[in-house]
Amino acid sequence: SCSFFGIYAGHGGSECAEFLQNNLHHLIIKDVHFPLNPIEAIRNGFREAEKQFCEIALQQKHNVNKSGSCAIIALTIGDICYIANVGDSQAIMSCERGINTRVLSREHIPDDAVERERILSYGGKIYR
């Protein structure tokens, strides 16, 4: 058995977040690696979602869609839970009825040294 949960925080409009809400889970479970290699299926699902949404956004000749979205998902397969995120979304697990918490993801923000280096190594620029 499997379950999928996603939270999408749109910016610059709601179109991208709505696209992810309606499509990301399908792209992940239809990937050739699902369910035997869910990590690769999740990666491929995110890549394919970006590709498809960019194609849709570029087709709007007179009013190019400039929306985007952060995303955090949880995919459970059997008794294993996979967490993935893009952007500044963060998953936190509450333990012992809220007495303890555990951070399950890392935000992708340029203030984080690892993320800053990743952005720059791919030729990106950081503006403030």
Side-chain angles (χ1 to χ4, degrees), residues 75-123:
L75 171 65
T76 59
I77 301 175
D79 60 354
I80 299 175
C81 182
Y82 301 88
I83 304 291
N85 70 298
V86 174
D88 62 0
S89 300
Q90 189 174 45
I92 300 171
M93 181 173 65
S94 174
C95 307
E96 301 169 36
R97 297 178 184 228
I99 295 170
N100 293 313
T101 58
R102 295 189 183 171
V103 176
L104 302 177
S105 64
R106 188 174 58 77
E107 293 176 281
H108 303 131
I109 55 174
D111 294 341
D112 177 79
V114 173
E115 183 63 10
R116 181 180 201 82
E117 179 57 33
R118 186 192 70 77
I119 292 167
L120 297 173
S121 72
Y122 280 96

Side-chain angles (χ1 to χ4, degrees), residues 41-53:
I42 291 168
R43 285 182 180 139
N44 290 342
F46 271 97
R47 284 185 195 112
E48 184 62 23
E50 179 179 27
K51 177 183 165 209
Q52 287 184 19
F53 185 74

Side-chain angles (χ1 to χ4, degrees), residues 8 11-13 17 19 23 26-27 30-31 38 44 46 49 56 65-66 72 75 79 81 102 112-114:
Y8 311 104
H11 50 268
F19 175 84
N23 295 285
H26 293 295
L27 295 171
K30 289 179 181 176
D31 185 77
N44 290 342
F46 271 97
I56 291 167
N65 186 329
K66 295 181 182 177
I72 186 125
L75 171 65
D79 60 354
C81 182
R102 295 189 183 171
D112 177 79
V114 173

